[in-house]
Amino acid sequence: MMRTSTSVLGLIAASLLLSSAPTRAQEVTREDIVRQLSRFETAPTLDLPALKQQTQERSRIRSRNEPPPQKRTPIAPELMNLPAFNVDIQFDVDTPIVRPESYQAVGRIADAMVYADLLPYTFLIVGHIEANGKRESNVILSQRRADAIRDILANTFKISVKRLQSVGLGEEQLLDPSKPTAPVNQQIQIITVAKTVEEAAPPPPAPVPAAPGKQAPRKHRN
């Protein structure tokens, strides 16, 4: 009787452990990415070279009055209202080298970009870093990582470079300001920023005038 009770208790405990075990997170599909990036309405007024320079300059501030990371104003608030997809890409520590296990996620993004609903758009790849280490170094690393994703999309997955831009915001626009050192702030963002400019078709060639033919001699009436 004791053995039976022990066995029953063991089965109950095992079932409780299984029911309380965390379920595996569902992988993001191409359709999820398309749905998030296709809700484009208005293109922002975005001066990318100026934004890069402004980000670098702000990261060098050493003022005592500089607010802590969680209280800094976003450096590019215009990006926050655009369709965006955040993805957790694994890099080697302090480098822009993408780990092999993350190539599948980048490939899924590329697959979405060539889907019919997203073909008319161009995208901005935004790098972020959590608020650890030196601010200036974080901006540089985030730019290099954004560039790395752009290059993989273009070179490995053959997405047109005309549809891709990149910028690194370091810790100057945290994805979760309430937790400035959390891993979520290292995610890469893919943001829809504009419609592609369709190249105008060349005008049809002008018709070549026909060579003048010889006129038949007129007949003289008698």
Side-chain angles (χ1 to χ4, degrees), residues 62-79:
R62 300 291 183 270
S63 171
R64 292 183 179 180
N65 298 325
E66 177 68 8
Q70 60 269 30
K71 293 185 179 180
R72 292 178 196 149
T73 57
I75 197 162
E78 63 271 25
L79 298 180

Side-chain angles (χ1 to χ4, degrees), residues 126-179:
V126 185
H128 299 270
I129 301 289
E130 83 281 11
N132 283 324
K134 295 181 179 180
R135 288 175 67 182
E136 187 176 356
S137 299
N138 287 342
V139 169
I140 295 171
L141 179 58
S142 67
Q143 181 66 59
R144 294 176 67 196
R145 286 181 171 179
D147 291 343
I149 299 301
R150 178 202 60 198
D151 292 346
I152 292 172
L153 286 170
N155 299 330
T156 303
F157 296 104
K158 307 307 178 184
I159 303 298
S160 171
V161 292
K162 295 180 180 179
R163 301 177 62 204
L164 303 172
Q165 300 180 81
S166 59
V167 65
L169 299 183
E171 59 182 84
E172 306 307 314
Q173 185 155 308
L174 295 171
L175 295 174
D176 186 354
S178 66
K179 300 175 181 177

Side-chain angles (χ1 to χ4, degrees), residues 187-208:
Q187 289 183 329
I188 293 288
Q189 280 188 304
I190 312 295
I191 300 179
T192 310
V193 290
K195 282 194 172 183
T196 54
V197 179
E198 296 182 0
E199 295 183 1
V208 179

